[in-house]
Amino acid sequence: MRVLSGIQPSGRLHIGNYFGAIRQHLQLQAENEGFYFVADYHAMTSGPKPEDLRQYKLAVAMDYLALGLDTEKTVFWCQSDVPEVTELFWLLSCVTPMGLLQRCVSYKDKVAQGLSANHALFAYPVLQAADILIFDSDIVPVGADQKQHIEVTRDIAGYFNNTFGETFVIPKDHIVESVAVVPGVDGQKMSKSYNNTIEIFEPEKSVKKKVMRMVTDSTPVEAPKDPDKCNVFALLRLVASESELKEWDQKYRKGGTGYGDAKKKLAELLIEYFKPYRQKREELEKDLGYVNKVLKDGAQRAKAVASKTLARARKAVGLD
Ligand code: ADP
Ligand code: TRP
């Protein structure tokens, strides 16, 4: 099966991105043909400064490589190095009803968060559809918030196939429901745009500081606490072993343990969890030539596939 996903370089990657998306991407590469890319065209919709876009792009690539992306097996590139997707975006736009995009919640959410309501932000799902369809993707692993975009992709592929004849593979989504939403330090969804993240490769000291400042309710130390209503416990679920989790579940329910203790444990486990990848991340930082080469090689491999699908679509619409 061909598995494809993209991740936006709109900031430093955080543990919500890891447990909601990256971990699945890396697991799926073993048994599938992985196609993963840094979605820099998409990141432009949030209006980054050019120097930030450059910097975050490389940081995302280094994070993936440090966390275990297999460069032999998996195709890994930067979206804008395969501009064929932008042409397919246009062909797809011509069969995409406005109503389909008007129903997309991510556009409304982003405008509500203060992003300017420009055309690219509105058309964002069509570019995402082009990303997916140009590589004949079978499966698209994403976090739960992206499910609607995969449905839109399926709809657009359907409209195109109905209008111009069978051209595109209709993809499936792949969502791990058990880690649907990872909360941030303030209890809202962890997101680069809410300033509430714990970055995957943030300095250990700073991980500790952020965890110790996580928002909890005011239940006194002696009183029993509900693990299902606690952000700290939600993150513990991601990094603790089954037996540790059981132990902490009991401590919460019994009372007598404060949130401070749970936070200390969480900081310790988070640091331990990502420790094996830290050294690799530091080595990559010193070898940007290698990182750029991986991306360039990946772009070549991706282009070989994309240009064939684009030619097929051009022919279908009569642009050959
Ligand atoms: P952000 O909200 O930080 O900008 P993105 O929208 O770039 O994150 O998401 C990248 C990937 O990570 C997506 O597949 C998304 O579903 C997943 N993801 C982002 N935040 C979370 C979260 N808090 N919990 C689970 N998955 C998340
Ligand atoms: N929209 C996705 C996100 O914000 C990123 C993305 C762009 C993507 N193109 C894609 C994900 C294609 C999967 C497939 O997370």
Side-chain angles (χ1 to χ4, degrees), residues 254-311:
K254 212 165 105 211
T257 307
Y259 288 123
D261 291 334
K263 287 177 177 176
K264 271 191 208 140
K265 184 71 193 169
L266 173 62
E268 190 187 297
L269 289 178
L270 267 175
I271 289 168
E272 204 177 296
Y273 191 96
F274 290 108
K275 210 173 205 115
Y277 312 110
R278 257 179 208 278
Q279 194 188 341
K280 174 91 182 155
R281 180 68 174 75
E282 282 159 20
E283 285 165 16
L284 288 165
E285 191 101 36
K286 291 185 208 129
D287 196 359
L288 295 184
Y290 168 78
V291 179
N292 280 314
K293 183 173 179 311
V294 167
L295 292 173
K296 286 287 169 258
D297 289 351
Q300 252 179 11
R301 289 159 78 189
K303 219 176 181 51
V305 179
S307 54
K308 281 199 191 123
T309 320
L310 180 61

Tab-separated table of all heavy atoms in Angstrom, residues 254-311:
chain	number	residue	atom	x	y	z
A	254	LYS	N	-7.369	7.667	44.822
A	254	LYS	CA	-7.300	7.505	46.275
A	254	LYS	C	-7.184	8.851	47.008
A	254	LYS	O	-7.644	8.999	48.126
A	254	LYS	CB	-6.071	6.645	46.598
A	254	LYS	CG	-6.260	5.784	47.836
A	254	LYS	CD	-5.207	4.720	47.918
A	254	LYS	CE	-4.217	5.122	48.993
A	254	LYS	NZ	-2.868	4.671	48.771
A	255	GLY	N	-6.562	9.827	46.349
A	255	GLY	CA	-6.264	11.085	47.039
A	255	GLY	C	-4.940	10.958	47.787
A	255	GLY	O	-4.382	9.866	47.906
A	256	GLY	N	-4.430	12.103	48.241
A	256	GLY	CA	-3.167	12.079	48.992
A	256	GLY	C	-1.950	12.319	48.106
A	256	GLY	O	-0.845	12.471	48.618
A	257	THR	N	-2.155	12.352	46.801
A	257	THR	CA	-1.043	12.677	45.894
A	257	THR	C	-1.412	13.967	45.171
A	257	THR	O	-2.522	14.077	44.630
A	257	THR	CB	-0.836	11.555	44.850
A	257	THR	OG1	-0.693	10.318	45.537
A	257	THR	CG2	0.392	11.816	43.983
A	258	GLY	N	-0.498	14.920	45.161
A	258	GLY	CA	-0.804	16.209	44.521
A	258	GLY	C	-0.480	16.187	43.032
A	258	GLY	O	0.248	15.301	42.564
A	259	TYR	N	-1.007	17.158	42.312
A	259	TYR	CA	-0.704	17.252	40.876
A	259	TYR	C	0.791	17.472	40.649
A	259	TYR	O	1.342	17.060	39.644
A	259	TYR	CB	-1.492	18.398	40.244
A	259	TYR	CG	-2.973	18.114	40.109
A	259	TYR	CD1	-3.924	18.952	40.691
A	259	TYR	CD2	-3.417	17.011	39.392
A	259	TYR	CE1	-5.279	18.698	40.561
A	259	TYR	CE2	-4.783	16.756	39.261
A	259	TYR	CZ	-5.698	17.600	39.848
A	259	TYR	OH	-7.037	17.343	39.712
A	260	GLY	N	1.437	18.129	41.623
A	260	GLY	CA	2.877	18.391	41.507
A	260	GLY	C	3.664	17.094	41.326
A	260	GLY	O	4.588	17.027	40.506
A	261	ASP	N	3.275	16.065	42.074
A	261	ASP	CA	3.985	14.779	41.960
A	261	ASP	C	3.751	14.153	40.590
A	261	ASP	O	4.656	13.588	39.972
A	261	ASP	CB	3.506	13.805	43.044
A	261	ASP	CG	3.951	14.250	44.426
A	261	ASP	OD1	4.984	14.968	44.501
A	261	ASP	OD2	3.266	13.925	45.412
A	262	ALA	N	2.521	14.247	40.130
A	262	ALA	CA	2.198	13.683	38.810
A	262	ALA	C	2.989	14.421	37.731
A	262	ALA	O	3.488	13.824	36.776
A	262	ALA	CB	0.700	13.803	38.551
A	263	LYS	N	3.143	15.724	37.915
A	263	LYS	CA	3.884	16.522	36.923
A	263	LYS	C	5.354	16.119	36.899
A	263	LYS	O	5.954	16.015	35.829
A	263	LYS	CB	3.761	18.009	37.260
A	263	LYS	CG	2.377	18.578	36.965
A	263	LYS	CD	2.327	20.034	37.388
A	263	LYS	CE	0.987	20.652	37.043
A	263	LYS	NZ	0.897	22.030	37.520
A	264	LYS	N	5.921	15.889	38.093
A	264	LYS	CA	7.334	15.484	38.148
A	264	LYS	C	7.529	14.181	37.387
A	264	LYS	O	8.468	14.019	36.611
A	264	LYS	CB	7.763	15.281	39.603
A	264	LYS	CG	8.278	16.548	40.219
A	264	LYS	CD	8.932	16.258	41.564
A	264	LYS	CE	8.812	17.504	42.423
A	264	LYS	NZ	8.501	17.246	43.807
A	265	LYS	N	6.605	13.259	37.629
A	265	LYS	CA	6.697	11.959	36.954
A	265	LYS	C	6.572	12.149	35.438
A	265	LYS	O	7.316	11.551	34.657
A	265	LYS	CB	5.555	11.046	37.475
A	265	LYS	CG	5.575	9.650	36.945
A	265	LYS	CD	6.738	8.876	37.549
A	265	LYS	CE	7.012	7.579	36.837
A	265	LYS	NZ	8.276	6.977	37.271
A	266	LEU	N	5.618	12.987	35.052
A	266	LEU	CA	5.388	13.211	33.619
A	266	LEU	C	6.637	13.794	32.949
A	266	LEU	O	7.052	13.315	31.882
A	266	LEU	CB	4.190	14.152	33.411
A	266	LEU	CG	3.955	14.606	31.970
A	266	LEU	CD1	3.648	13.410	31.064
A	266	LEU	CD2	2.814	15.615	31.885
A	267	ALA	N	7.246	14.795	33.580
A	267	ALA	CA	8.435	15.421	32.989
A	267	ALA	C	9.527	14.365	32.809
A	267	ALA	O	10.157	14.275	31.743
A	267	ALA	CB	8.922	16.559	33.870
A	268	GLU	N	9.701	13.554	33.826
A	268	GLU	CA	10.727	12.502	33.782
A	268	GLU	C	10.463	11.535	32.609
A	268	GLU	O	11.358	11.231	31.824
A	268	GLU	CB	10.606	11.772	35.121
A	268	GLU	CG	11.666	10.782	35.498
A	268	GLU	CD	11.185	10.079	36.783
A	268	GLU	OE1	11.014	10.757	37.834
A	268	GLU	OE2	10.935	8.869	36.719
A	269	LEU	N	9.219	11.102	32.506
A	269	LEU	CA	8.898	10.120	31.459
A	269	LEU	C	8.987	10.712	30.052
A	269	LEU	O	9.417	10.044	29.111
A	269	LEU	CB	7.494	9.545	31.687
A	269	LEU	CG	7.359	8.604	32.893
A	269	LEU	CD1	5.918	8.149	33.050
A	269	LEU	CD2	8.266	7.390	32.752
A	270	LEU	N	8.569	11.975	29.927
A	270	LEU	CA	8.641	12.626	28.609
A	270	LEU	C	10.097	12.731	28.144
A	270	LEU	O	10.423	12.435	26.988
A	270	LEU	CB	8.058	14.039	28.687
A	270	LEU	CG	6.599	14.221	28.342
A	270	LEU	CD1	6.185	15.657	28.587
A	270	LEU	CD2	6.310	13.837	26.902
A	271	ILE	N	10.952	13.143	29.057
A	271	ILE	CA	12.372	13.308	28.720
A	271	ILE	C	12.979	11.959	28.346
A	271	ILE	O	13.688	11.828	27.352
A	271	ILE	CB	13.115	14.002	29.891
A	271	ILE	CG1	12.681	15.465	29.943
A	271	ILE	CG2	14.627	13.881	29.743
A	271	ILE	CD1	13.086	16.209	31.191
A	272	GLU	N	12.618	10.948	29.127
A	272	GLU	CA	13.128	9.592	28.865
A	272	GLU	C	12.643	9.086	27.497
A	272	GLU	O	13.399	8.483	26.747
A	272	GLU	CB	12.572	8.695	29.965
A	272	GLU	CG	13.357	7.441	30.238
A	272	GLU	CD	12.698	6.725	31.414
A	272	GLU	OE1	12.683	7.294	32.531
A	272	GLU	OE2	12.158	5.633	31.187
A	273	TYR	N	11.389	9.368	27.200
A	273	TYR	CA	10.774	8.855	25.970
A	273	TYR	C	11.524	9.332	24.717
A	273	TYR	O	11.780	8.579	23.791
A	273	TYR	CB	9.307	9.319	25.910
A	273	TYR	CG	8.503	8.643	24.822
A	273	TYR	CD1	7.722	7.522	25.101
A	273	TYR	CD2	8.529	9.110	23.505
A	273	TYR	CE1	6.995	6.892	24.115
A	273	TYR	CE2	7.799	8.478	22.508
A	273	TYR	CZ	7.034	7.378	22.819
A	273	TYR	OH	6.321	6.749	21.832
A	274	PHE	N	11.891	10.609	24.696
A	274	PHE	CA	12.516	11.153	23.482
A	274	PHE	C	14.041	11.149	23.526
A	274	PHE	O	14.679	11.528	22.547
A	274	PHE	CB	11.974	12.562	23.199
A	274	PHE	CG	10.524	12.538	22.762
A	274	PHE	CD1	9.514	12.973	23.605
A	274	PHE	CD2	10.183	12.046	21.509
A	274	PHE	CE1	8.177	12.912	23.203
A	274	PHE	CE2	8.851	11.985	21.093
A	274	PHE	CZ	7.854	12.416	21.957
A	275	LYS	N	14.580	10.715	24.657
A	275	LYS	CA	16.041	10.737	24.823
A	275	LYS	C	16.790	10.001	23.707
A	275	LYS	O	17.774	10.515	23.167
A	275	LYS	CB	16.427	10.153	26.189
A	275	LYS	CG	17.695	10.767	26.704
A	275	LYS	CD	18.025	10.352	28.114
A	275	LYS	CE	18.880	11.414	28.723
A	275	LYS	NZ	18.305	12.118	29.804
A	276	PRO	N	16.347	8.797	23.320
A	276	PRO	CA	17.117	8.057	22.313
A	276	PRO	C	17.269	8.810	20.990
A	276	PRO	O	18.167	8.511	20.211
A	276	PRO	CB	16.290	6.784	22.091
A	276	PRO	CG	15.379	6.681	23.246
A	276	PRO	CD	15.171	8.062	23.774
A	277	TYR	N	16.388	9.762	20.726
A	277	TYR	CA	16.419	10.456	19.433
A	277	TYR	C	17.190	11.777	19.479
A	277	TYR	O	17.501	12.359	18.468
A	277	TYR	CB	14.986	10.749	18.963
A	277	TYR	CG	14.076	9.547	19.053
A	277	TYR	CD1	13.046	9.502	19.992
A	277	TYR	CD2	14.266	8.449	18.219
A	277	TYR	CE1	12.212	8.396	20.093
A	277	TYR	CE2	13.434	7.341	18.316
A	277	TYR	CZ	12.414	7.323	19.249
A	277	TYR	OH	11.609	6.238	19.347
A	278	ARG	N	17.473	12.224	20.703
A	278	ARG	CA	18.089	13.545	20.863
A	278	ARG	C	19.477	13.655	20.238
A	278	ARG	O	19.812	14.624	19.593
A	278	ARG	CB	18.215	13.898	22.346
A	278	ARG	CG	17.206	14.859	22.780
A	278	ARG	CD	17.338	15.176	24.237
A	278	ARG	NE	16.021	15.538	24.720
A	278	ARG	CZ	15.499	16.748	24.586
A	278	ARG	NH1	16.199	17.717	24.050
A	278	ARG	NH2	14.280	16.996	25.000
A	279	GLN	N	20.274	12.597	20.440
A	279	GLN	CA	21.648	12.659	19.948
A	279	GLN	C	21.670	12.755	18.424
A	279	GLN	O	22.385	13.561	17.837
A	279	GLN	CB	22.419	11.428	20.419
A	279	GLN	CG	23.903	11.620	20.228
A	279	GLN	CD	24.677	10.353	20.508
A	279	GLN	OE1	24.179	9.434	21.164
A	279	GLN	NE2	25.896	10.294	19.997
A	280	LYS	N	20.818	11.949	17.791
A	280	LYS	CA	20.721	11.961	16.331
A	280	LYS	C	20.301	13.363	15.841
A	280	LYS	O	20.826	13.886	14.860
A	280	LYS	CB	19.691	10.892	15.914
A	280	LYS	CG	19.352	10.862	14.473
A	280	LYS	CD	20.245	9.920	13.688
A	280	LYS	CE	19.884	9.985	12.224
A	280	LYS	NZ	20.879	9.635	11.305
A	281	ARG	N	19.353	13.960	16.577
A	281	ARG	CA	18.861	15.295	16.210
A	281	ARG	C	20.002	16.317	16.272
A	281	ARG	O	20.132	17.182	15.411
A	281	ARG	CB	17.723	15.681	17.156
A	281	ARG	CG	17.092	17.047	16.903
A	281	ARG	CD	16.329	17.082	15.603
A	281	ARG	NE	15.598	18.317	15.402
A	281	ARG	CZ	16.131	19.482	15.067
A	281	ARG	NH1	17.437	19.583	14.921
A	281	ARG	NH2	15.373	20.542	14.882
A	282	GLU	N	20.856	16.164	17.306
A	282	GLU	CA	21.984	17.099	17.447
A	282	GLU	C	23.012	16.892	16.332
A	282	GLU	O	23.579	17.844	15.806
A	282	GLU	CB	22.636	16.927	18.832
A	282	GLU	CG	21.821	17.621	19.912
A	282	GLU	CD	22.089	17.102	21.319
A	282	GLU	OE1	23.149	16.479	21.544
A	282	GLU	OE2	21.213	17.317	22.189
A	283	GLU	N	23.221	15.645	15.946
A	283	GLU	CA	24.169	15.362	14.855
A	283	GLU	C	23.675	15.962	13.539
A	283	GLU	O	24.436	16.543	12.774
A	283	GLU	CB	24.337	13.844	14.659
A	283	GLU	CG	25.184	13.184	15.731
A	283	GLU	CD	25.032	11.674	15.727
A	283	GLU	OE1	24.526	11.104	14.726
A	283	GLU	OE2	25.418	11.057	16.734
A	284	LEU	N	22.373	15.829	13.290
A	284	LEU	CA	21.803	16.355	12.039
A	284	LEU	C	21.960	17.865	11.954
A	284	LEU	O	22.246	18.419	10.897
A	284	LEU	CB	20.335	15.966	11.930
A	284	LEU	CG	20.070	14.489	11.643
A	284	LEU	CD1	18.611	14.129	11.927
A	284	LEU	CD2	20.414	14.139	10.199
A	285	GLU	N	21.776	18.499	13.075
A	285	GLU	CA	21.888	19.958	13.152
A	285	GLU	C	23.251	20.422	12.639
A	285	GLU	O	23.387	21.503	12.088
A	285	GLU	CB	21.694	20.371	14.619
A	285	GLU	CG	21.511	21.824	14.868
A	285	GLU	CD	20.044	22.200	15.083
A	285	GLU	OE1	19.284	21.416	15.694
A	285	GLU	OE2	19.692	23.282	14.617
A	286	LYS	N	24.262	19.549	12.841
A	286	LYS	CA	25.623	19.916	12.416
A	286	LYS	C	25.894	19.482	10.985
A	286	LYS	O	27.010	19.638	10.495
A	286	LYS	CB	26.631	19.250	13.351
A	286	LYS	CG	26.596	19.828	14.740
A	286	LYS	CD	27.700	19.203	15.592
A	286	LYS	CE	27.311	19.197	17.057
A	286	LYS	NZ	27.451	17.897	17.694
A	287	ASP	N	24.947	18.834	10.329
A	287	ASP	CA	25.192	18.312	8.988
A	287	ASP	C	24.020	18.652	8.056
A	287	ASP	O	23.340	17.779	7.509
A	287	ASP	CB	25.398	16.787	9.085
A	287	ASP	CG	26.044	16.228	7.826
A	287	ASP	OD1	26.311	17.017	6.893
A	287	ASP	OD2	26.267	15.006	7.765
A	288	LEU	N	23.809	19.956	7.885
A	288	LEU	CA	22.665	20.388	7.074
A	288	LEU	C	22.816	19.973	5.614
A	288	LEU	O	21.823	19.793	4.905
A	288	LEU	CB	22.497	21.907	7.177
A	288	LEU	CG	22.125	22.410	8.574
A	288	LEU	CD1	21.886	23.905	8.561
A	288	LEU	CD2	20.897	21.676	9.106
A	289	GLY	N	24.060	19.794	5.183
A	289	GLY	CA	24.301	19.341	3.811
A	289	GLY	C	23.630	17.993	3.590
A	289	GLY	O	22.972	17.766	2.563
A	290	TYR	N	23.744	17.127	4.573
A	290	TYR	CA	23.120	15.806	4.475
A	290	TYR	C	21.587	15.936	4.430
A	290	TYR	O	20.916	15.311	3.609
A	290	TYR	CB	23.559	14.931	5.666
A	290	TYR	CG	22.752	13.669	5.792
A	290	TYR	CD1	23.005	12.579	4.960
A	290	TYR	CD2	21.719	13.567	6.733
A	290	TYR	CE1	22.239	11.419	5.063
A	290	TYR	CE2	20.953	12.412	6.840
A	290	TYR	CZ	21.223	11.352	6.001
A	290	TYR	OH	20.462	10.208	6.089
A	291	VAL	N	21.054	16.777	5.308
A	291	VAL	CA	19.591	16.941	5.375
A	291	VAL	C	19.066	17.455	4.026
A	291	VAL	O	18.085	16.936	3.475
A	291	VAL	CB	19.204	17.924	6.514
A	291	VAL	CG1	17.703	18.125	6.578
A	291	VAL	CG2	19.745	17.428	7.853
A	292	ASN	N	19.761	18.444	3.471
A	292	ASN	CA	19.336	18.987	2.173
A	292	ASN	C	19.441	17.953	1.067
A	292	ASN	O	18.595	17.905	0.169
A	292	ASN	CB	20.167	20.221	1.823
A	292	ASN	CG	19.649	21.446	2.559
A	292	ASN	OD1	18.443	21.682	2.590
A	292	ASN	ND2	20.538	22.203	3.178
A	293	LYS	N	20.443	17.105	1.158
A	293	LYS	CA	20.617	16.077	0.125
A	293	LYS	C	19.469	15.044	0.190
A	293	LYS	O	18.922	14.644	-0.838
A	293	LYS	CB	21.971	15.387	0.300
A	293	LYS	CG	22.233	14.362	-0.785
A	293	LYS	CD	23.630	13.780	-0.729
A	293	LYS	CE	23.852	12.738	-1.802
A	293	LYS	NZ	22.826	11.729	-1.914
A	294	VAL	N	19.103	14.672	1.407
A	294	VAL	CA	17.984	13.729	1.563
A	294	VAL	C	16.731	14.316	0.900
A	294	VAL	O	16.029	13.641	0.146
A	294	VAL	CB	17.710	13.440	3.065
A	294	VAL	CG1	16.376	12.739	3.256
A	294	VAL	CG2	18.838	12.609	3.664
A	295	LEU	N	16.478	15.602	1.161
A	295	LEU	CA	15.273	16.239	0.613
A	295	LEU	C	15.336	16.335	-0.912
A	295	LEU	O	14.332	16.136	-1.601
A	295	LEU	CB	15.073	17.625	1.225
A	295	LEU	CG	14.716	17.650	2.712
A	295	LEU	CD1	14.716	19.080	3.245
A	295	LEU	CD2	13.343	17.005	2.960
A	296	LYS	N	16.515	16.642	-1.438
A	296	LYS	CA	16.651	16.763	-2.901
A	296	LYS	C	16.447	15.395	-3.567
A	296	LYS	O	15.753	15.273	-4.572
A	296	LYS	CB	18.043	17.306	-3.283
A	296	LYS	CG	18.207	18.780	-3.003
A	296	LYS	CD	17.413	19.642	-4.000
A	296	LYS	CE	17.334	21.090	-3.589
A	296	LYS	NZ	16.108	21.567	-2.994
A	297	ASP	N	17.070	14.351	-2.998
A	297	ASP	CA	16.898	12.997	-3.556
A	297	ASP	C	15.430	12.585	-3.502
A	297	ASP	O	14.883	12.016	-4.446
A	297	ASP	CB	17.710	11.960	-2.755
A	297	ASP	CG	19.205	12.120	-2.995
A	297	ASP	OD1	19.579	12.900	-3.899
A	297	ASP	OD2	19.992	11.466	-2.266
A	298	GLY	N	14.794	12.899	-2.365
A	298	GLY	CA	13.384	12.554	-2.193
A	298	GLY	C	12.535	13.260	-3.243
A	298	GLY	O	11.618	12.668	-3.832
A	299	ALA	N	12.855	14.534	-3.493
A	299	ALA	CA	12.072	15.318	-4.461
A	299	ALA	C	12.171	14.684	-5.845
A	299	ALA	O	11.189	14.633	-6.597
A	299	ALA	CB	12.566	16.758	-4.484
A	300	GLN	N	13.357	14.174	-6.168
A	300	GLN	CA	13.521	13.539	-7.488
A	300	GLN	C	12.648	12.293	-7.620
A	300	GLN	O	11.983	12.093	-8.625
A	300	GLN	CB	14.978	13.118	-7.666
A	300	GLN	CG	15.704	13.989	-8.647
A	300	GLN	CD	17.152	13.566	-8.788
A	300	GLN	OE1	17.560	12.507	-8.319
A	300	GLN	NE2	17.929	14.412	-9.415
A	301	ARG	N	12.658	11.501	-6.541
A	301	ARG	CA	11.845	10.274	-6.560
A	301	ARG	C	10.352	10.630	-6.609
A	301	ARG	O	9.559	9.993	-7.306
A	301	ARG	CB	12.131	9.415	-5.334
A	301	ARG	CG	13.506	8.749	-5.370
A	301	ARG	CD	13.977	8.347	-3.979
A	301	ARG	NE	13.353	7.125	-3.479
A	301	ARG	CZ	13.483	6.693	-2.214
A	301	ARG	NH1	14.180	7.379	-1.336
A	301	ARG	NH2	12.901	5.577	-1.844
A	302	ALA	N	9.969	11.656	-5.866
A	302	ALA	CA	8.560	12.066	-5.831
A	302	ALA	C	8.127	12.620	-7.195
A	302	ALA	O	7.031	12.340	-7.681
A	302	ALA	CB	8.361	13.118	-4.740
A	303	LYS	N	9.006	13.395	-7.810
A	303	LYS	CA	8.707	14.025	-9.098
A	303	LYS	C	8.443	12.973	-10.176
A	303	LYS	O	7.575	13.147	-11.033
A	303	LYS	CB	9.908	14.861	-9.511
A	303	LYS	CG	9.579	16.168	-10.162
A	303	LYS	CD	10.904	16.891	-10.414
A	303	LYS	CE	10.775	18.217	-11.027
A	303	LYS	NZ	9.948	19.232	-10.575
A	304	ALA	N	9.181	11.876	-10.103
A	304	ALA	CA	9.020	10.826	-11.108
A	304	ALA	C	7.592	10.293	-11.079
A	304	ALA	O	6.987	10.036	-12.125
A	304	ALA	CB	10.033	9.703	-10.851
A	305	VAL	N	7.028	10.158	-9.887
A	305	VAL	CA	5.651	9.656	-9.759
A	305	VAL	C	4.661	10.764	-10.125
A	305	VAL	O	3.717	10.559	-10.899
A	305	VAL	CB	5.381	9.185	-8.301
A	305	VAL	CG1	3.950	8.689	-8.145
A	305	VAL	CG2	6.374	8.100	-7.891
A	306	ALA	N	4.884	11.962	-9.574
A	306	ALA	CA	3.931	13.062	-9.746
A	306	ALA	C	3.775	13.449	-11.216
A	306	ALA	O	2.665	13.723	-11.685
A	306	ALA	CB	4.389	14.272	-8.936
A	307	SER	N	4.884	13.460	-11.949
A	307	SER	CA	4.780	13.936	-13.332
A	307	SER	C	3.938	12.958	-14.172
A	307	SER	O	3.200	13.393	-15.062
A	307	SER	CB	6.161	14.159	-13.952
A	307	SER	OG	6.918	12.991	-13.835
A	308	LYS	N	4.002	11.676	-13.840
A	308	LYS	CA	3.168	10.707	-14.583
A	308	LYS	C	1.683	10.918	-14.307
A	308	LYS	O	0.863	10.894	-15.225
A	308	LYS	CB	3.549	9.272	-14.165
A	308	LYS	CG	4.811	8.793	-14.855
A	308	LYS	CD	4.896	7.273	-14.807
A	308	LYS	CE	6.275	6.853	-15.256
A	308	LYS	NZ	6.992	6.038	-14.283
A	309	THR	N	1.337	11.100	-13.045
A	309	THR	CA	-0.086	11.300	-12.717
A	309	THR	C	-0.593	12.600	-13.318
A	309	THR	O	-1.719	12.658	-13.830
A	309	THR	CB	-0.299	11.347	-11.182
A	309	THR	OG1	0.531	10.384	-10.580
A	309	THR	CG2	-1.739	11.099	-10.809
A	310	LEU	N	0.252	13.632	-13.266
A	310	LEU	CA	-0.167	14.917	-13.832
A	310	LEU	C	-0.417	14.762	-15.334
A	310	LEU	O	-1.421	15.268	-15.857
A	310	LEU	CB	0.893	15.990	-13.561
A	310	LEU	CG	0.562	17.370	-14.119
A	310	LEU	CD1	-0.726	17.924	-13.492
A	310	LEU	CD2	1.705	18.359	-13.871
A	311	ALA	N	0.454	14.027	-16.030
A	311	ALA	CA	0.275	13.829	-17.469
A	311	ALA	C	-1.058	13.111	-17.730
A	311	ALA	O	-1.805	13.464	-18.652
A	311	ALA	CB	1.441	13.018	-18.034
